[in-house]
Amino acid sequence: MGLAVGMEKSEFAGWAFPFPGVALIKDFVSAEEEAELVRLMDQDDWKLSQSGRRKQDYGPRVNFRKQKLKPGSFHGLPSFSREIVRRMGMYPILETFLPVEQCNLDYHPERGSAIDPHLDDSWLWGERLVSLNLLSPTVLSMSRDSDERLQLLSMAPQGTRNSVPNETKTGDPEDAQSTWRSVPCDHVEVAIHLPARSLLVLFGAARHQWKHAIHRRHIESHRICATFRELSAEFCPGGKQEELGQELLEIALSFQGKPV
């Protein structure tokens, strides 16, 4: 399990808390593969999206509000993703990962590109969200809207930690008061640094409880992100829509798709 560690010179310097549900694979593709992927993406049209982004969607037609979907004009993931998906399966955390949707997002500082804090749908999309970060590094910012409190653990000798007025401390008054700190969840933002060519996997609490965002200030140069999503249990074997799920998977993994 990973730790979210307070940044130096911040109010949380010297403090940390467990932050499960994040796996980062550095150098998932080479610089040469990255350049070729971007070249192939650019052969298809990009559609203008919200907050200064451009996008390419490869997936079924979905109405999330009414919880309805159909294949529509979806003919599969793009051919250039076949090797990416094969390589994902070489890692234990992704050996059962079968993506049924791919969304490419193009960010550029001149367009003021960003994406607001959000949780991905969990009716259709399953446990793992997988994103390939291309062209430039960035920061994924995680936040949680909750009345719950986080228990922070001291990572530094007494006297070097920052404390905050009116904070709640727990534990033995002689000893643990300086070891633990309790703060509201909505006072904390976790920064996940994403190098270029890295693959990020979100699952568990990081997938379902913590919203993720890309702030405008963290787009310093051209960036492309390819996000892959798997089916939820409702569309997998044993689920009430398993036949539709199997149909969508067969289409997706034919790798004959164009942006829809």
Side-chain angles (χ1 to χ4, degrees):
M1 180 184 298
L3 283 177
V5 179
M7 295 177 62
E8 293 183 9
K9 299 181 181 179
S10 76
E11 64 176 281
F12 299 114
W15 300 92
F17 68 96
F19 195 79
V22 178
L24 184 67
I25 303 169
K26 296 181 179 179
D27 296 315
F28 183 77
V29 295
S30 67
E32 293 76 17
E33 289 172 323
E34 173 187 52
E36 179 64 6
L37 284 170
V38 173
R39 185 188 72 82
L40 291 170
M41 289 178 185
D42 284 341
Q43 289 183 354
D44 289 316
D45 292 335
W46 291 87
K47 295 180 180 179
L48 290 177
S49 185
Q50 299 173 329
S51 301
R53 303 186 306 273
R54 300 190 304 166
K55 69 177 181 178
Q56 295 174 335
D57 282 323
Y58 301 84
R61 185 175 179 181
V62 187
N63 185 321
F64 289 105
R65 185 175 61 84
K66 295 182 179 180
Q67 293 193 346
K68 292 183 178 181
L69 77 155
K70 56 184 178 180
S73 57
F74 177 44
H75 296 294
L77 303 187
S79 59
F80 55 78
S81 292
R82 185 188 295 271
E83 171 59 20
I84 295 174
V85 173
R86 185 200 68 80
R87 194 174 300 178
M88 287 178 185
M90 297 171 62
Y91 295 85
I93 195 172
L94 292 173
E95 61 184 1
T96 61
F97 183 75
L98 296 174
V100 73
E101 192 255 9
Q102 177 178 337
C103 179
N104 301 333
L105 292 178
D106 178 289
Y107 295 75
H108 202 287
E110 291 183 359
R111 299 195 303 269
S113 302
I115 192 164
D116 292 335
H118 66 283
L119 290 172
D120 277 35
D121 167 80
S122 57
W123 161 68
L124 176 59
W125 308 135
E127 173 63 17
R128 291 162 291 190
L129 301 178
V130 182
S131 295
L132 180 59
N133 187 55
L134 301 173
L135 296 181
S136 66
T138 192
V139 175
L140 188 73
S141 298
M142 311 288 291
S143 59
R144 188 174 174 190
D145 298 330
S146 173
D147 294 332
E148 296 179 13
R149 300 183 71 87
L150 290 171
Q151 300 298 317
L152 307 187
L153 171 66
S154 170
M155 300 288 288
Q158 188 173 1
T160 64
R161 297 181 296 270
N162 285 343
S163 59
V164 177
N166 301 319
E167 69 182 11
T168 300
K169 295 183 179 179
T170 60
D172 182 83
E174 293 292 329
D175 194 29
Q177 277 191 352
S178 59
T179 303
W180 293 93
R181 219 178 106 187
S182 174
V183 298
C185 283
D186 58 7
H187 286 196
V188 174
E189 184 174 83
V190 176
I192 302 174
H193 292 263
L194 305 179
R197 300 183 294 281
S198 64
L199 191 78
L200 174 73
V201 185
L202 296 181
F203 56 97
R207 154 76 167 101
H208 297 289
Q209 298 178 14
W210 289 79
K211 294 181 178 180
H212 54 276
I214 300 285
H215 297 315
R216 194 164 284 110
R217 66 180 182 273
H218 291 141
I219 298 297
E220 299 181 354
S221 59
H222 190 199
R223 171 191 183 244
I224 290 177
C225 173
T227 296
F228 300 82
R229 298 177 174 91
E230 64 184 340
L231 290 169
S232 68
E234 180 173 333
F235 297 88
C236 291
K240 64 180 182 180
Q241 299 200 62
E242 64 173 306
E243 290 186 7
L244 177 55
Q246 183 60 38
E247 178 187 0
L248 292 174
L249 265 180
E250 290 176 1
I251 294 171
L253 299 181
S254 71
F255 296 101
Q256 299 179 10
K258 291 288 185 180
V260 296

